[in-house]
Amino acid sequence: MTRGATLAGLAAVAALAGLAGYLVSQRAPAPAAQEPAARVVPAVRPEFSLADAEGVVRSIAEWDGRALVINFWAPWSPPGGREVPVLNRLHANHSAEGFQVIGVAVDFREDVLAFMQETPIDYPMLIGEQDGLDAVRAFGVDNLGFPFTVFTDRRGRIVTIHVGELHAPQAEAILSAVTAVDDGRLTLDAARQQIERALADYRSREAATPS
C-alpha cells in the first residue's frame, strides 16, 4: 500500500450529511440523542495555516478581502490532477477581478512536490498531512473524498462547496454567482439557487452528450 493510499484511507469515504443540508438550508433538524452530531459547514471561511511549496507557513487570512477558490485535492486522486489546468486558467483569467485560487494538497509533502515538478501549478499551493485533514474538517467536511472546492465571497462567507472534479463551465457559473454577491446583485441564498440551477443544466447537457 502506498503512503498516498494511507491518507486516502483516512479521507476517501464520503460523508455528505451536513454539507448538502447546508447548501440547501441551514435549518436541519437536530440528530437523535444517541447519534453523533453531523459536522456543520461554517457560514464563514475558517482560519487555518499550512506550509506552502517552499516550506513557508502561510495563513489563509493572507488573502482576506479576495473571493477565494480553495481547492482541496491529493496527488493520488486522478480527478484532482485533472483539475489543475482548469484552476490555472481560473487563476490567469480571474485574478484581476478579485478572485484568488488556492490549492490545498492533503498528502505527504514529498509526494506533492514530486507531482508539482511534473505538472505546472501557477497558484499558491499549501500542503498538509494530518494538519491538512484538520483544515478539511474545519470546513465541516469529514472523510470526504477528494477533490472538493470551496468558493467564498470577498467577505469570507462560504457561498458553495463543489464536491468532485471541477470543470470549467461549472467554475465559471459559480464565479459568476459569487461576483453577483460581491456586487450586491444577489443575496447568498439567491446565488446558491442560481448555482444549483446552472450545475443541474450542466449535468443535463453532459448526460445528453453521446460518449
Side-chain angles (χ1 to χ4, degrees):
M1 178 178 292
T2 66
R3 293 179 302 168
T6 301
L7 280 180
L10 296 175
V13 179
L16 299 179
L19 175 58
Y22 171 82
L23 300 179
V24 176
S25 170
Q26 296 189 58
R27 298 181 178 178
Q34 68 273 20
E35 297 178 358
R39 289 185 180 270
V40 177
V41 175
V44 178
R45 181 212 70 214
E47 300 296 325
F48 66 93
S49 298
L50 293 169
D52 65 13
E54 285 71 43
V56 177
V57 175
R58 303 177 72 175
S59 169
I60 195 68
E62 177 180 334
W63 294 282
D64 281 354
R66 298 180 68 83
L68 301 187
V69 181
I70 310 173
N71 177 251
F72 287 85
W73 70 291
W76 45 259
S77 171
R82 292 197 298 264
E83 288 179 324
V84 170
V86 172
L87 295 166
N88 279 340
R89 288 194 296 272
L90 291 182
H91 176 71
N93 296 337
H94 295 284
S95 290
E97 302 166 8
F99 286 97
Q100 177 65 56
V101 178
I102 302 167
V104 179
V106 183
D107 201 351
F108 294 97
R109 180 176 184 81
E110 55 268 36
D111 293 343
V112 177
L113 295 179
F115 180 95
M116 294 177 68
Q117 287 180 345
E118 299 293 331
T119 304
I121 296 178
D122 301 331
Y123 45 90
M125 182 60 61
L126 307 182
I127 304 170
E129 297 176 19
Q130 181 57 54
D131 49 352
L133 290 174
D134 292 341
V136 168
R137 296 185 180 110
F139 282 89
V141 180
D142 195 4
N143 294 330
L144 182 65
F146 296 117
F148 68 92
T149 307
V150 180
F151 292 82
T152 79
D153 66 5
R154 292 181 183 177
R155 294 167 59 183
R157 297 178 300 177
I158 295 176
V159 179
T160 193
I161 297 179
H162 178 79
V163 178
E165 183 174 352
L166 182 67
H167 299 278
Q170 297 171 318
E172 294 294 344
I174 295 172
L175 294 191
S176 176
V178 173
T179 298
V181 170
D182 284 328
D183 291 347
R185 291 180 285 115
L186 284 180
T187 65
L188 280 175
D189 285 342
R192 289 169 183 146
Q193 292 170 12
Q194 177 174 303
I195 291 168
E196 185 177 357
R197 289 193 299 269
L199 298 188
D201 289 343
Y202 174 79
R203 290 191 295 270
S204 296
R205 291 194 302 272
E206 287 295 295
T209 302
S211 57

